């Protein structure tokens, strides 16, 4: 597939998920942060996505072939002796919360990302939620990307504060949820928490708030994007990763890293996140065409269009 998009390197987990949902149990579902992000990004930046991760001998070639068929470069997916990373999650009846029942790192335990030489010049880099030391290792291997975006989670915030601080000092944009922002900063108020986190390195911060949308904090100010209101939410797994993939996919496709374009990218991020939750695992994302994305973006534009200036009456 040809594309004018700028190469986008995505590093992170590739997994099998067991999902206990109110509607039933689903086993061996294709998962992992890098998987969701890559699929979402490939819808906006076809031919530009390069995925780096690790799988075991149990990972079917057919899954990699599916990613390749979408124009995702899988040459950076390492196959190691042993089993693929497995995660087992159980959701509450209202899908508002989930607990991790089991996490088996398997081959992911010894993952040390090796960035293929052909990927080292990627101008856009998305560091999925892995050990912050490994995120820094990736940055040691790439040459001056235009935009480095990272995700992290409570586990690393609690256990690896030093490595996390190092990672933060080397990235441009951090994408985390509200709970993580509060935990990382030790500040409850999100505006104050954002200011604190931005002092630690990333000049830009996105705080995701699930069904309540997301906030961007950067030098141009604060910006809000809603979550698209859906009648049926099926499975929130991977929504955050799809959000990040949509964001980076849009930026890589347009090649413009400006406050204005970042604000547009947030609508694509939120759209891809909203599609993700409409199916079990990545099933809905995998069934999408570009026209579906265009239709949701149009619906989004309508959602936030109030018809002109908001002037004080009288
Ligand atoms: P999200 O719902 O956006 O938090 O992403 C869920 C995905 O992250 C699932 O597909 C899991 O396989 C993967 N995952 C769960 N725990 C971890 C972990 N500790 N490290 C990396 N990936 C994980």
């Amino acid at each position: 597939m040809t594309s004018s998009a700028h190469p986008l390197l995505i590093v992170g987990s590739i997994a099998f998920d067991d999902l206990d949902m109110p509607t039933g149990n689903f086993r061996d579902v294709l998962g992992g942060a890098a998987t969701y992000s890559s699929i979402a990004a490939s819808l906006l930046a076809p031919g530009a996505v390069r995925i780096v991760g690790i799988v075991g001998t149990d990972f079917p070639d057919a899954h990699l072939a599916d990613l390749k068929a979408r124009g995702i470069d899988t040459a950076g997916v390492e196959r190691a002796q042993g089993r693929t990373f497995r995660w087992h999650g159980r959701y509450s009846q209202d899908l508002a919360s989930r607990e991790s029942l089991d996490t088996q790192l398997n081959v992911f335990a010894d993952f040390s990302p090796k960035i293929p030489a052909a990927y080292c010049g990627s101008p856009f880099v998305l560091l999925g939620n892995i050990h912050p030391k490994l995120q820094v290792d990736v940055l040691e291997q790439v040459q001056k990307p235009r935009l480095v975006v990272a995700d992290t989670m409570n586990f690393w915030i609690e256990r690896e504060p030093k490595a996390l601080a190092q990672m933060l000092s080397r990235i441009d944009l951090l994408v985390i949820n509200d709970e993580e922002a509060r935990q990382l900063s030790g500040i409850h108020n999100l505006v104050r928490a954002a200011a604190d986190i931005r002092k630690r390195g990333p000049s830009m911060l996105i705080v995701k708030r699930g069904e309540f949308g997301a906030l961007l904090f950067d030098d141009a100010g604060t910006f809000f994007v809603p979550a698209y209101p859906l009648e049926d939410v099926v499975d929130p797994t991977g929504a955050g990763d799809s959000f990040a993939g949509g964001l980076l996919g849009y930026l890589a496709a347009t090649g413009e890293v400006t406050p204005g374009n970042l604000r547009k990218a947030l609508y694509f991020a939120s759209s891809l996140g909203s599609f993700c939750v409409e199916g079990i695992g990545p099933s809905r994302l995998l069934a999408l065409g570009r026209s579906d994305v265009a239709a949701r973006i149009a619906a989004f534009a309508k959602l936030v269009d109030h018809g002109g200036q908001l002037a004080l009456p009288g």
Side-chain angles (χ1 to χ4, degrees):
M1 207 182 297
T2 54
S3 160
S4 56
H6 303 254
L8 165 60
L9 172 64
I10 296 178
V11 185
S13 57
I14 301 174
F16 285 126
D17 292 341
D18 289 334
L19 306 170
D20 295 4
M21 311 304 299
T23 47
N25 297 337
F26 300 85
R27 298 290 173 252
D28 297 330
V29 177
L30 174 65
T35 310
Y36 281 103
S37 296
S38 298
I39 297 168
S42 70
L43 279 155
L44 303 176
V49 180
R50 302 155 162 186
I51 181 172
V52 169
I54 191 165
V55 297
T57 42
D58 55 350
F59 196 79
D61 280 331
H63 281 329
L64 292 176
D66 283 348
L67 297 180
K68 266 190 223 168
R70 316 181 68 78
I72 299 169
D73 188 336
T74 59
V77 177
E78 186 184 334
R79 194 183 279 279
Q81 277 301 320
R83 298 179 79 217
T84 300
F85 174 75
R86 293 190 82 92
W87 177 72
H88 186 178
R90 180 165 59 203
Y91 283 84
S92 60
Q93 205 62 29
D94 62 2
L95 298 178
S97 63
R98 73 178 181 203
E99 56 176 325
S100 289
L101 298 180
D102 191 25
T103 300
Q104 295 173 18
L105 292 176
N106 299 328
V107 294
F108 198 52
D110 299 317
F111 181 45
S112 165
K114 290 171 212 61
I115 310 302
Y119 295 2
C120 289
S122 305
F124 292 86
V125 177
L126 174 58
L127 303 169
N129 162 37
I130 52 176
H131 194 301
K133 187 187 165 306
L134 298 183
Q135 292 176 314
V136 171
D137 284 349
V138 171
L139 297 182
E140 293 291 340
Q141 295 173 63
V142 295
Q143 300 138 9
K144 272 192 161 294
R146 278 176 58 196
L147 184 73
V148 177
V149 180
D151 182 12
T152 193
M153 69 186 288
N154 52 2
F155 186 84
W156 307 121
I157 296 171
E158 281 157 27
R159 295 178 200 216
E160 297 288 344
K162 277 196 186 137
L164 191 71
Q166 242 201 339
M167 181 275 275
L168 289 177
S169 73
R170 298 191 53 170
I171 63 166
D172 303 302
L173 168 59
L174 182 70
V175 184
I176 51 178
N177 67 35
D178 42 8
E179 226 175 278
E180 291 156 351
R182 289 182 171 122
Q183 195 180 7
L184 176 58
S185 62
I187 300 170
H188 185 81
N189 178 284
L190 284 179
V191 178
R192 289 174 195 269
D196 174 86
I197 293 167
R198 290 180 60 221
K199 277 190 207 136
R200 304 177 190 209
S203 64
M204 299 169 273
L205 172 72
I206 291 173
V207 178
K208 295 170 291 176
R209 309 193 70 192
E211 63 177 310
F212 304 111
L215 288 163
L216 161 72
F217 300 88
D218 66 4
D219 288 343
T222 305
F223 183 73
F224 172 71
V225 64
Y228 189 76
L230 295 167
E231 210 171 306
D232 290 310
V233 175
V234 175
D235 172 16
T237 310
D241 308 311
S242 304
F243 179 101
L247 185 90
L248 268 292
Y250 183 80
L251 293 174
T254 54
E256 196 189 309
V257 186
T258 57
N261 209 40
L262 191 54
R263 282 154 173 75
K264 285 186 191 153
L266 273 167
Y267 281 91
F268 288 83
S270 193
S271 288
L272 269 302
S274 74
F275 279 125
C276 177
V277 305
E278 289 183 308
I280 294 294
S283 59
R284 177 78 171 118
L285 287 180
L286 288 167
L288 289 178
R290 281 169 66 86
S291 59
D292 298 307
V293 182
R296 178 136 310 165
I297 285 292
F300 235 125
K302 210 170 151 203
L303 176 73
V304 295
D305 179 11
H306 51 75
Q309 292 293 317
L310 288 177
L312 205 60

